[in-house]
């Protein structure tokens, strides 16, 4: 976020380009365009999940999730786990997930959701919300990678998904 703010406030960026960027930020993203970049790991989509629905959607569901990326899939998993524990009898699905294309075909499928172990926004968050809130948020964010790796291992998907912790570098440029 700090990079975006520095670019939008930079004197080197013309007012026309700044306005174009702001217009893009505030515009409706619309329906995803075709074709999109394919996820390399999704060569053979699971037939139960990655086919367009040919039957009508249910008229009722406990929860409808829009998008099958890392957030939508995580929410669906927790909701279904909690439902399995309480075992309510229901005539309708607990969760319906809507996706414009194939499951995880968007950014999550291409970049793993950029789940990184980084504290690069700590100072900005602390300035706005205070140090204690910034520490809590940072602990929450840093827990994502280990949770995802744990889920992949629990489901026996570590190898096929190539879920792993990697080293990375974040570079900042400026005067």
């Amino acid at each position: 976020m700090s990079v975006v703010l520095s670019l939008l406030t930079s004197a080197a960026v013309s007012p026309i380009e700044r306005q174009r960027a702001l217009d893009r930020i505030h515009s409706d993203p619309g329906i995803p365009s075709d074709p999109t970049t394919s996820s390399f790991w999704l060569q053979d989509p699971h037939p139960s999940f990655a086919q367009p629905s040919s039957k009508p959607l249910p008229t009722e569901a406990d929860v409808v999730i829009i998008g099958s990326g890392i957030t939508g899939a995580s929410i669906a998993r927790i909701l279904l786990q909690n439902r399995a524990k309480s075992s309510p009898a229901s005539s309708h699905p607990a969760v319906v997930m809507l996706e414009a294309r194939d499951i995880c075909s968007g950014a999550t499928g291409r970049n793993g959701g950029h789940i990184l172990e980084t504290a690069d926004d700590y100072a900005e968050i602390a300035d706005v919300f205070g140090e204690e809130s910034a520490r809590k948020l940072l602990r929450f964010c840093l827990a994502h990678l280990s949770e995802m790796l744990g889920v992949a291992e629990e489901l026996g998907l570590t190898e096929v998904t190539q879920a792993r912790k990697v080293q990375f570098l974040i570079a900042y440029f400026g005067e």
Side-chain angles (χ1 to χ4, degrees), residues 1 5 19 44 51 63 76 82 116 120-122 127-128 138 143 145 151 158:
M1 186 65 167
L5 289 175
Q19 188 58 52
D44 297 315
Q51 293 180 351
V63 176
N82 289 341
L116 305 173
D120 61 330
D121 291 331
Y122 175 83
D127 287 346
V128 175
L138 185 60
L145 180 59
V151 168
T158 304

Side-chain angles (χ1 to χ4, degrees), residues 44-163:
D44 297 315
H46 191 284
S48 298
F49 298 110
Q51 293 180 351
S53 177
S54 59
K55 55 187 174 185
L57 290 170
T59 57
E60 192 176 341
D62 292 342
V63 176
V64 175
I65 299 172
I66 300 173
S68 66
I70 200 160
T71 302
S74 297
I75 291 169
R77 180 175 185 268
I78 294 299
L79 289 171
L80 293 171
Q81 283 177 332
N82 289 341
R83 184 173 195 216
K85 290 176 188 172
S86 61
S87 303
S90 179
S91 60
H92 60 270
V95 176
V96 170
M97 184 178 286
L98 304 177
E99 175 57 57
R101 292 183 294 262
D102 290 335
I103 191 166
C104 282
S105 62
T108 294
R110 292 188 299 272
N111 61 35
H114 283 289
I115 298 178
L116 305 173
E117 293 182 305
T118 177
D120 61 330
D121 291 331
Y122 175 83
E124 288 178 51
I125 296 168
D127 287 346
V128 175
F129 300 105
E131 288 188 14
E132 182 57 30
S133 293
R135 281 193 289 274
K136 286 179 182 178
L137 183 59
L138 185 60
R139 282 192 295 271
F140 175 72
C141 291
L142 292 176
H144 291 135
L145 180 59
S146 61
E147 181 67 20
M148 291 303 296
L149 293 174
V151 168
E153 187 172 325
E154 173 190 328
L155 298 174
L157 298 173
T158 304
E159 186 176 329
V160 70
T161 61
Q162 298 180 15

Side-chain angles (χ1 to χ4, degrees), residues 24-35:
R24 283 193 310 273
I25 289 169
H26 294 291
S27 68
D28 180 351
I31 296 174
S33 62
D34 281 323

